[in-house]
mmCIF file of all heavy atoms in Angstrom:
data_model
loop_
_atom_site.group_PDB
_atom_site.id
_atom_site.type_symbol
_atom_site.label_atom_id
_atom_site.label_comp_id
_atom_site.label_asym_id
_atom_site.label_seq_id
_atom_site.Cartn_x
_atom_site.Cartn_y
_atom_site.Cartn_z
ATOM 1 N N TYR A 116 90.852 98.699 111.274
ATOM 2 C CA TYR A 116 92.009 98.942 110.415
ATOM 3 C C TYR A 116 91.602 98.836 108.947
ATOM 4 O O TYR A 116 90.707 98.095 108.594
ATOM 5 C CB TYR A 116 93.120 97.925 110.659
ATOM 6 C CG TYR A 116 93.759 98.023 112.015
ATOM 7 C CD1 TYR A 116 93.261 97.294 113.090
ATOM 8 C CD2 TYR A 116 94.870 98.843 112.227
ATOM 9 C CE1 TYR A 116 93.855 97.401 114.347
ATOM 10 C CE2 TYR A 116 95.473 98.940 113.458
ATOM 11 C CZ TYR A 116 94.967 98.219 114.503
ATOM 12 O OH TYR A 116 95.543 98.311 115.739
ATOM 13 N N LEU A 117 92.356 99.549 108.124
ATOM 14 C CA LEU A 117 92.258 99.414 106.695
ATOM 15 C C LEU A 117 93.634 98.937 106.170
ATOM 16 O O LEU A 117 94.633 99.565 106.479
ATOM 17 C CB LEU A 117 91.885 100.725 106.026
ATOM 18 C CG LEU A 117 92.088 100.831 104.503
ATOM 19 C CD1 LEU A 117 91.297 99.756 103.756
ATOM 20 C CD2 LEU A 117 91.757 102.232 104.011
ATOM 21 N N GLN A 118 93.592 97.869 105.399
ATOM 22 C CA GLN A 118 94.846 97.413 104.767
ATOM 23 C C GLN A 118 94.722 97.635 103.254
ATOM 24 O O GLN A 118 93.945 96.931 102.609
ATOM 25 C CB GLN A 118 95.141 95.950 105.089
ATOM 26 C CG GLN A 118 96.487 95.504 104.544
ATOM 27 C CD GLN A 118 96.860 94.090 104.971
ATOM 28 O OE1 GLN A 118 96.017 93.248 105.200
ATOM 29 N NE2 GLN A 118 98.157 93.869 105.123
ATOM 30 N N LYS A 119 95.456 98.584 102.772
ATOM 31 C CA LYS A 119 95.462 98.828 101.342
ATOM 32 C C LYS A 119 96.394 97.835 100.691
ATOM 33 O O LYS A 119 97.336 97.330 101.351
ATOM 34 C CB LYS A 119 95.885 100.261 101.046
ATOM 35 C CG LYS A 119 94.922 101.309 101.613
ATOM 36 C CD LYS A 119 95.363 102.710 101.266
ATOM 37 C CE LYS A 119 94.343 103.718 101.812
ATOM 38 N NZ LYS A 119 94.712 105.107 101.476
ATOM 39 N N PRO A 120 96.201 97.515 99.419
ATOM 40 C CA PRO A 120 97.026 96.499 98.743
ATOM 41 C C PRO A 120 98.514 96.787 98.909
ATOM 42 O O PRO A 120 98.968 97.910 98.635
ATOM 43 C CB PRO A 120 96.569 96.603 97.299
ATOM 44 C CG PRO A 120 95.165 97.063 97.390
ATOM 45 C CD PRO A 120 95.122 98.009 98.552
ATOM 46 N N GLY A 121 99.263 95.758 99.347
ATOM 47 C CA GLY A 121 100.710 95.886 99.439
ATOM 48 C C GLY A 121 101.203 96.665 100.640
ATOM 49 O O GLY A 121 102.412 96.969 100.740
ATOM 50 N N GLN A 122 100.300 97.059 101.538
ATOM 51 C CA GLN A 122 100.689 97.861 102.683
ATOM 52 C C GLN A 122 100.297 97.175 103.993
ATOM 53 O O GLN A 122 99.445 96.279 104.004
ATOM 54 C CB GLN A 122 100.001 99.226 102.635
ATOM 55 C CG GLN A 122 100.414 100.096 101.467
ATOM 56 C CD GLN A 122 99.751 101.484 101.508
ATOM 57 O OE1 GLN A 122 99.350 101.927 102.577
ATOM 58 N NE2 GLN A 122 99.693 102.125 100.388
ATOM 59 N N PRO A 123 100.906 97.581 105.106
ATOM 60 C CA PRO A 123 100.475 97.062 106.390
ATOM 61 C C PRO A 123 99.149 97.674 106.766
ATOM 62 O O PRO A 123 98.758 98.716 106.211
ATOM 63 C CB PRO A 123 101.567 97.495 107.363
ATOM 64 C CG PRO A 123 102.134 98.708 106.724
ATOM 65 C CD PRO A 123 102.060 98.500 105.243
ATOM 66 N N PRO A 124 98.420 97.073 107.675
ATOM 67 C CA PRO A 124 97.181 97.697 108.165
ATOM 68 C C PRO A 124 97.471 99.080 108.767
ATOM 69 O O PRO A 124 98.515 99.278 109.366
ATOM 70 C CB PRO A 124 96.693 96.724 109.238
ATOM 71 C CG PRO A 124 97.266 95.396 108.838
ATOM 72 C CD PRO A 124 98.622 95.733 108.272
ATOM 73 N N GLN A 125 96.512 99.970 108.549
ATOM 74 C CA GLN A 125 96.624 101.307 109.145
ATOM 75 C C GLN A 125 95.407 101.538 110.053
ATOM 76 O O GLN A 125 94.297 101.182 109.699
ATOM 77 C CB GLN A 125 96.728 102.375 108.062
ATOM 78 C CG GLN A 125 95.563 102.411 107.076
ATOM 79 C CD GLN A 125 95.842 103.342 105.911
ATOM 80 O OE1 GLN A 125 96.571 103.020 104.974
ATOM 81 N NE2 GLN A 125 95.201 104.518 105.957
ATOM 82 N N LEU A 126 95.718 102.130 111.192
ATOM 83 C CA LEU A 126 94.644 102.339 112.173
ATOM 84 C C LEU A 126 93.676 103.418 111.726
ATOM 85 O O LEU A 126 94.080 104.534 111.344
ATOM 86 C CB LEU A 126 95.253 102.718 113.523
ATOM 87 C CG LEU A 126 94.285 102.979 114.668
ATOM 88 C CD1 LEU A 126 93.468 101.738 114.986
ATOM 89 C CD2 LEU A 126 95.044 103.473 115.903
ATOM 90 N N LEU A 127 92.397 103.085 111.792
ATOM 91 C CA LEU A 127 91.362 104.086 111.467
ATOM 92 C C LEU A 127 90.663 104.553 112.742
ATOM 93 O O LEU A 127 90.534 105.729 112.995
ATOM 94 C CB LEU A 127 90.284 103.449 110.587
ATOM 95 C CG LEU A 127 90.677 103.014 109.170
ATOM 96 C CD1 LEU A 127 89.494 102.303 108.503
ATOM 97 C CD2 LEU A 127 91.131 104.182 108.340
ATOM 98 N N ILE A 128 90.219 103.589 113.536
ATOM 99 C CA ILE A 128 89.374 103.846 114.710
ATOM 100 C C ILE A 128 89.919 103.052 115.889
ATOM 101 O O ILE A 128 90.227 101.873 115.740
ATOM 102 C CB ILE A 128 87.927 103.420 114.457
ATOM 103 C CG1 ILE A 128 87.325 104.116 113.231
ATOM 104 C CG2 ILE A 128 87.074 103.587 115.708
ATOM 105 C CD1 ILE A 128 86.885 105.526 113.455
#
Side-chain angles (χ1 to χ4, degrees):
Chain A
Y116 292 91
L117 165 59
Q118 186 174 30
K119 297 182 179 181
Q122 296 184 22
Q125 58 189 77
L126 180 62
L127 296 175
I128 302 282

